[in-house]
């Protein structure tokens, strides 16, 4: 297995695909997707465009759908949810489809949607992702961070490092053997430095600070937890994620 990490969708190669691609948006899109599926959502359908989301979800009766829209960290007017994983309780999302559009996370998923296998990862489901990779052993794996509007984000890279560090143990190999690019070594080093204080790292991250200004303290606490849920979102058709 060769692992490549790309910090943003913009840095991800556009003309080839990996055997397995993993999109990460710890704050907060992939944390929300994992939580929604764990809470019994029928599926999660992602959109980069808010109008397209509204149009497609119109075919679903209101009791079978939840519309989640986030821009700049806040809920978009007229949508049921913003992008807080804490809204995704079994009472609210159970049996429903979550239609979601966020600033960066949904773009990361879309940029790898052509890969044969597409997964969504966050710190909260890190081990479920690692378990899948150890079982399936895809030859090439890409981890794509969402970043923020094209810029690097600390929280996605630390999650990529958490996945890589656990893979190294599972495969019993060296980082040089696993790494397909330099970013893997950087991400593993970042994770090893911060693994005992991931909440502290989220507090230092630019987007973490943005969310704290919006009073999302509990979201950061929730998203900083590692291996909380044994749930793996996997793409069924482009843009549609279900629980594996
Ligand atoms: O950028 C995104 O896709 C979001 O997850 C941003 S936020 O955490 O909802 O602000």
């Amino acid at each position: 297995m060769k692992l490549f990490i790309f910090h943003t969708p913009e840095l991800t190669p556009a003309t080839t695909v990996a055997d397995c691609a993993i999109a990460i948006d710890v704050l907060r899109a992939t944390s929300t997707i994992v939580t929604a599926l764990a809470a019994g959502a029928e599926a999660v359908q992602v959109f980069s465009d808010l109008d397209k989301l509204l149009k497609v979800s119109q075919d679903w009766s209101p009791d079978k759908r939840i519309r989640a829209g986030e821009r700049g960290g806040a809920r978009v007017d007229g949508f049921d949810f913003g992008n807080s994983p804490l809204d995704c309780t079994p009472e609210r999302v159970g049996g429903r489809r979550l239609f979601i559009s966020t600033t960066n996370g949904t773009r990361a998923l879309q940029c790898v949607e052509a890969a044969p296998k597409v997964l969504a990862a966050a710190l909260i489901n890190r081990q479920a992702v690692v378990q899948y990779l150890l079982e399936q052993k895809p030859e090439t794996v890409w981890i794509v961070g969402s970043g923020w509007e094209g810029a690097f984000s600390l929280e996605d890279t630390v999650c990529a490092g958490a996945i890589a560090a656990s893979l190294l143990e599972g495969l019993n190999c060296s980082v040089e053997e696993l790494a397909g690019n330099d970013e893997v070594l950087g991400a593993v080093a970042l994770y090893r430095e911060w693994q005992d204080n991931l909440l502290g790292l989220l507090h230092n991250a630019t987007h973490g600070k943005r969310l704290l200004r919006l009073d999302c303290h509990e979201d950061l606490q929730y998203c900083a937890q590692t291996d909380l849920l044994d749930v793996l979102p996997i793409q069924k058709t482009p843009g549609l994620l279900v629980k594996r």
Side-chain angles (χ1 to χ4, degrees):
M1 186 187 304
K2 274 289 172 199
L3 175 68
F4 299 79
I5 295 174
F6 302 104
H7 293 309
T8 64
E10 288 76 4
L11 289 169
T12 306
T15 50
T16 51
V17 285
D19 298 317
C20 177
I22 304 167
I24 297 181
D25 186 18
V26 169
L27 295 174
R28 295 167 290 174
T30 53
S31 298
T32 296
I33 291 168
V34 171
T35 307
L37 291 174
E42 173 260 333
V44 178
Q45 196 164 350
V46 301
F47 295 83
S48 47
D49 185 72
L50 291 166
D51 290 332
K52 189 157 180 222
L53 183 160
L54 290 174
K55 197 164 174 250
V56 172
S57 60
Q58 234 164 21
D59 294 341
W60 290 64
S61 74
D63 62 322
K64 288 285 171 210
R65 70 168 191 229
I66 295 277
R67 289 162 160 172
E70 167 276 329
R71 288 296 178 267
R75 181 173 64 84
V76 178
D77 276 350
F79 280 68
D80 304 308
F81 287 1
N83 184 24
S84 172
L86 301 179
D87 285 337
C88 298
T89 60
E91 296 72 32
R92 299 184 78 184
V93 303
R96 295 173 157 194
R97 180 171 294 194
L98 183 71
F99 294 87
I100 186 168
S101 176
T102 70
T103 313
N104 305 285
T106 49
R107 278 193 317 124
L109 276 161
Q110 284 184 337
C111 109
V112 293
E113 69 183 15
K117 296 287 175 205
V118 177
L119 313 175
L123 288 166
I124 55 171
N125 73 333
R126 182 270 306 254
Q127 208 47 46
V129 173
V130 170
Q131 211 41 55
Y132 175 88
L133 296 174
L134 292 176
E135 263 170 49
Q136 302 292 319
K137 296 197 172 41
E139 242 173 72
T140 51
V141 178
W142 290 359
I143 299 182
V144 176
S146 298
W148 184 269
E149 295 181 344
F152 169 91
S153 75
L154 218 41
E155 65 277 14
D156 295 337
T157 302
V158 88
C159 180
I163 293 170
S166 179
L167 266 180
L168 288 172
E169 278 178 29
L171 293 167
N172 197 20
C173 70
S174 67
V175 70
E176 292 77 15
E177 286 172 283
L178 179 67
N181 62 3
D182 290 358
E183 285 85 336
V184 177
L185 278 83
V188 170
L190 181 72
Y191 173 68
R192 289 189 173 148
E193 178 71 22
W194 285 89
Q195 60 183 318
D196 296 326
N197 185 17
L198 290 167
L199 181 58
L201 180 129
L202 297 196
H203 277 249
N204 276 288
T206 307
H207 186 50
K209 290 181 186 159
R210 186 180 294 113
L211 289 174
L212 289 173
R213 287 195 295 275
L214 293 167
D215 262 345
C216 298
H217 294 79
E218 288 180 10
D219 283 32
L220 263 68
Q221 272 168 8
Y222 178 79
C223 295
Q225 300 173 94
T226 309
D227 305 336
L228 180 71
L229 298 173
D230 186 19
V231 170
L232 184 64
I234 188 160
Q235 182 176 265
K236 191 172 170 195
T237 55
L240 186 69
L241 296 154
V242 295
K243 190 163 141 186
R244 178 178 182 243

